[in-house]
Amino acid sequence: HVGATKMNADSSRSHSIYTITVEQCETDARGEAHIRQGKLNLVDLAGSERQAKTEASGERLKEATKINLSLSALGNCISALVDGKSKHVPFRDSKLTQLLADSLGGNSKTFMFVNINPSAEAASESLCSLEFGMRVRKVELGRASGRRVEGASLAELKEARGAEERAVSELRTAEARLARLEGEAKEGREAQAAMEAELAELRQRKEADALLLEQGADKQRTQLADERKRAAA
């Protein structure tokens, strides 16, 4: 979606990713089905922002922070790929890099178009974008090719997908149960707090009643002593 900032009236407030997956089934002479799979990711990255220029606040500032964090994670992955010596590429540091992991390594082909602002006021942002594009250009990827799943039949693939869907359903059920238990625990804590407050109030009343009784007894003793003095006189 888009939103207005000081620099752009229709500023992108999130990244957009459209994924197209194509599968081809081939049957060999033995009657075994083989799946060849291809994936196309169409990505529109939101530009990084500087709060001093956009004057973003509230939700707009939160959006800008998340955009910058994900772009930073993407930059770290690019740096690790350019280095070539890094054994670990931090794809899991953000949802953006997790989704683009297939496009940044292995048998993939990646095209990146860098859009810059010709305005002199945006010179620093344009330079940063061009430098990022140069870093991406240094990444060496393998030859793009279809991914073939050997020895897997359509029935097996459907079964695997069904198992995945069941696992997701069980996870959601467990999360709902956990939320329900947390709600019950919260209600229990609130009820316990209410009971403790009621007990404290009852103790205060008891102490107040005891104090009144003691004061009444003292008053009676005083009156009795006065009466004895008058009788003796």
Side-chain angles (χ1 to χ4, degrees):
H1 68 289
V2 298
T5 65
K6 185 178 179 181
M7 294 186 67
N8 190 347
D10 296 314
S11 174
S12 297
R13 310 315 302 163
S14 62
H15 307 299
S16 297
I17 301 178
Y18 299 90
T19 301
I20 302 173
T21 302
V22 179
E23 292 183 353
Q24 178 185 6
C25 177
E26 298 177 351
T27 304
D28 59 19
R30 294 177 296 179
E32 295 182 351
H34 303 277
I35 304 300
R36 189 182 297 274
Q37 184 184 79
K39 180 189 293 184
L40 174 64
N41 286 324
L42 302 176
V43 185
D44 180 16
L45 296 176
S48 61
E49 297 182 356
R50 296 183 181 180
Q51 194 274 339
K53 290 187 176 182
T54 61
E55 296 184 1
S57 61
E59 289 299 320
R60 290 287 176 267
L61 181 59
K62 292 180 181 179
E63 293 166 350
T65 301
K66 292 181 179 179
I67 290 172
N68 291 341
L69 287 174
S70 60
L71 290 175
S72 177
L74 178 60
N76 292 336
C77 292
I78 296 298
S79 297
L81 291 169
V82 171
D83 181 38
K85 298 179 181 179
S86 301
K87 296 182 180 179
H88 172 68
V89 181
F91 288 124
R92 295 188 178 183
D93 285 358
S94 77
K95 292 182 179 179
L96 174 65
T97 50
Q98 287 182 33
L99 293 172
L100 298 183
D102 290 344
S103 299
L104 298 175
N107 297 328
S108 61
K109 194 72 174 178
T110 301
F111 295 91
M112 176 173 285
F113 301 89
V114 179
N115 297 322
I116 60 175
N117 189 338
S119 173
E121 297 179 352
S124 59
E125 286 81 3
S126 297
L127 180 60
C128 181
S129 297
L130 291 173
E131 290 176 347
F132 181 74
M134 290 299 296
R135 288 166 59 194
V136 174
R137 187 179 180 184
K138 295 179 181 179
V139 177
E140 295 183 2
L141 300 177
R143 180 176 60 86
S145 64
R147 184 174 62 182
R148 189 170 181 175
V149 184
E150 296 292 343
S153 65
L154 289 176
E156 290 171 340
L157 290 175
K158 289 181 179 179
E159 182 180 355
R161 288 180 179 175
E164 181 181 358
E165 292 175 356
R166 288 193 297 273
V168 172
S169 177
E170 291 175 358
L171 177 60
R172 290 176 178 173
T173 301
E175 290 176 346
R177 182 181 179 187
L178 178 60
R180 186 172 63 254
L181 291 174
E182 289 178 348
E184 293 175 356
K186 182 180 179 181
E187 292 177 357
R189 289 192 296 269
E190 292 176 350
Q192 182 180 0
M195 289 179 61
E196 290 176 353
E198 186 176 354
L199 289 173
E201 184 179 357
L202 289 174
R203 284 194 293 269
Q204 291 178 355
R205 289 181 180 178
K206 184 177 180 181
E207 292 174 356
D209 292 341
L211 180 60
L212 290 174
L213 289 174
E214 183 66 24
Q215 290 175 350
D218 291 341
K219 185 176 180 181
Q220 290 180 357
R221 285 193 291 270
T222 301
Q223 291 176 351
L224 182 60
D226 292 341
E227 290 176 356
R228 288 178 178 175
K229 288 180 180 180
R230 287 195 295 269

